[in-house]
Amino acid sequence: MASTSDIRNGLCIKHNHDIYKIIEFLHVKPGKGPAFVRTKLKSLTNGKVLDNTFSAGHKIDVVRVETHTFQYLYAEGNDFHFMNTESYEQITLNKDVLDNPDLLKEGTNVMVQINTETDLPLSVDMPASIVLEVTYAEPGVKGNTATNATKPAKVETGASVNVPLFINEGDKIKIDTATGKYIERV
């Protein structure tokens, strides 16, 4: 058993008969009253995000996880196939477990957290950004640059991303995998 002082981003805990991953937390010590920890938890079974407040010193049940590097192979309907880069063992994960499955490119390495008690995959951490090629983008309208104007563009994985007007077909762009937004042209 751990306490609220052990809370950190990415920690997996058992809470309300489910396994949650801590997305963000904030330790609050008000001037009046006891300290508490405000957390944002993501369910690893159904993907729902909930806000929860733990009082300081509250005991939490930590789930022991191992992190392994897996390579994305291919998608088949709602199933995504990954291969362990060390043991070459393959696993299949549902689309719901992934944060941004439409940004996954074949051959991309991801970090998969596996529950050591049940040997089941809990969550998939994608790289912070990914470089993809633009396959379709409408031409930008000249003179429409008074503000930060954007246009929709399709990338090689089929995802749609809003990009600046100067991006054309064939350009490689860097995309933030957490938000799915354009970062820069590569």
Side-chain angles (χ1 to χ4, degrees), residues 133-139 151 153-154 166-172:
E133 184 175 334
V134 176
T135 56
Y136 174 76
E138 294 179 8
K151 62 181 179 182
K154 276 227 180 294
F166 60 83
I167 299 292
N168 299 314
E169 285 182 29
D171 288 350
K172 290 191 182 280

Side-chain angles (χ1 to χ4, degrees), residues 164-185:
L165 297 176
F166 60 83
I167 299 292
N168 299 314
E169 285 182 29
D171 288 350
K172 290 191 182 280
I173 60 172
K174 187 184 278 191
I175 302 170
D176 182 10
T177 56
T179 60
K181 293 186 178 178
Y182 166 88
I183 297 175
E184 65 181 352
R185 179 166 57 178

Side-chain angles (χ1 to χ4, degrees), residues 8-79:
R8 64 185 185 286
N9 287 342
L11 182 71
C12 294
I13 63 171
K14 284 183 186 171
H15 180 66
N16 290 346
H17 310 293
D18 199 0
I19 297 177
Y20 290 91
K21 182 178 182 181
I22 295 176
I23 300 173
E24 57 186 61
F25 73 98
L26 179 65
H27 183 47
V28 180
K29 182 152 179 30
K32 200 181 225 184
F36 57 90
V37 179
R38 193 175 287 137
T39 59
K40 192 172 277 195
L41 307 170
K42 180 178 182 181
S43 172
L44 296 179
T45 54
N46 57 24
K48 290 183 180 176
V49 176
L50 89 115
D51 293 322
N52 193 25
T53 303
F54 295 104
S55 57
H58 182 83
K59 298 292 183 202
I60 53 175
D61 195 8
V62 177
V63 177
R64 207 169 95 75
V65 295
E66 290 180 353
T67 304
H68 296 285
T69 304
F70 280 77
Q71 185 179 37
Y72 170 60
L73 298 175
Y74 62 95
E76 193 174 54
N78 279 344
D79 294 333

Side-chain angles (χ1 to χ4, degrees), residues 108-159:
T108 304
N109 285 341
V110 296
M111 303 302 284
V112 177
Q113 292 182 332
I114 298 174
N115 187 342
T116 56
E117 296 170 8
T118 60
D119 285 334
L120 293 174
L122 292 177
S123 70
V124 177
D125 293 330
M126 293 180 57
S129 63
I130 190 165
V131 176
L132 297 173
E133 184 175 334
V134 176
T135 56
Y136 174 76
E138 294 179 8
V141 180
K142 199 170 190 176
N144 190 10
T145 58
T147 61
N148 290 337
T150 60
K151 62 181 179 182
K154 276 227 180 294
V155 293
E156 60 188 293
T157 59

